Amino acid sequence: MSARLVVLASGAGTLLQALLDAQRDPGFPGAVVGVFSDRADAQALVRAGRHGVAGEVVRMADFADRGAWDRALADKVAAHRPDLVVLAGFMKILGPEFLHRFPGRIINTHPGLLPAYPGAHAVRDALEAGASITGASVIWVDEGVDTGAVLARTEVPVLDGDDESSLHERIKIVEREMLVRVVSELVRPQRTSSSGIRT
Ligand code: GAR
């Protein structure tokens, strides 16, 4: 049976698209069952709709405070009974009330080689620092900003003449492949031998 994936995305949703494309392969062990965005204009919601996946906007501005938004979003995500929650270009920080509902089940993908360049402007920060190598990371989400344990990282060279947009587009190419691989590895059913050892 496919693992149930819930994806949170704020923008173009090309990382979400990579997961939606991957699940066309019957060997892929997961399926996106719900998509949430904090932005009504997120293209990610359109992509979800095209694939027949439920998509919903949960805007922070519609709630009294961050905690109320966290709780409402957590309730909606929980209704999909996710095995894994994937932050794929989700540009809001999730608070403890959300995180504690899905312990050990939330991952994030980030356009920087963490722990270098955390935060919302990783690509710009790498360029401004004069980095010759940057990349992408997939991490477990904890209460810090991009401080969770690293699951995978891929390097991307910074080329002469790169600007934020060209570099980010090249990073996203490796990021999509890496996210699909990490999700697949995390949710793939493990066989347990009679000795109790995972094979
Ligand atoms: C990705 O590069 C993702 O790592 C980044 O937003 C992009 C989303 O691309 N996320 C962050 O910066 C979170 N701090 P997409 O909308 O095309 O999937």
Side-chain angles (χ1 to χ4, degrees):
M1 224 177 63
S2 282
R4 301 174 64 82
L5 311 174
V6 168
V7 177
L8 274 54
S10 300
T14 66
L15 294 162
L16 164 67
Q17 187 67 53
L19 292 169
L20 292 169
D21 291 343
Q23 73 189 40
R24 289 180 197 271
D25 175 351
F28 186 73
V32 179
V33 295
V35 173
F36 292 93
S37 183
D38 57 312
R39 297 181 57 112
D41 60 353
Q43 189 66 18
L45 294 168
V46 177
R47 294 179 191 274
R50 264 193 228 132
H51 286 257
V53 174
E56 189 175 343
V57 188
V58 188
R59 293 185 338 136
M60 206 180 257
D62 293 334
F63 295 85
D65 55 35
R66 248 173 193 277
W69 175 76
D70 259 335
R71 282 191 296 280
L73 184 59
D75 285 344
K76 288 172 185 287
V77 168
H80 287 286
R81 294 178 286 109
D83 295 302
L84 192 67
V85 178
V86 181
L87 312 189
F90 191 63
M91 301 308 286
K92 288 274 189 297
I93 306 290
L94 294 166
E97 303 213 42
F98 186 98
L99 302 180
H100 293 163
R101 292 283 291 278
F102 310 100
R105 276 189 290 154
I106 312 175
I107 64 170
N108 180 35
T109 174
H110 179 78
L113 276 184
L114 292 169
Y117 314 120
H121 305 290
V123 182
R124 189 192 308 168
D125 292 346
L127 279 171
E128 284 177 4
S132 57
I133 304 270
T134 183
S137 310
V138 180
I139 60 169
W140 289 112
V141 174
D142 65 11
E143 292 191 20
V145 176
D146 299 324
T147 52
V150 172
L151 285 156
R153 299 195 305 173
T154 306
E155 292 187 352
V156 174
V158 180
L159 303 181
D160 285 348
D162 257 339
D163 60 16
E164 190 175 349
S165 163
S166 65
L167 180 55
H168 199 173
E169 284 309 313
R170 279 207 324 289
I171 290 171
K172 290 210 290 187
I173 292 169
V174 303
E175 217 180 341
R176 292 180 198 117
E177 187 275 332
M178 181 168 59
L179 180 64
V180 167
R181 176 167 47 82
V182 169
V183 167
S184 173
E185 284 168 5
L186 285 176
V187 303
R188 189 173 297 286
Q190 305 277 336
R191 284 185 300 130
T192 305
S193 73
S194 54
S195 63
I197 296 168
R198 279 183 160 183
T199 57

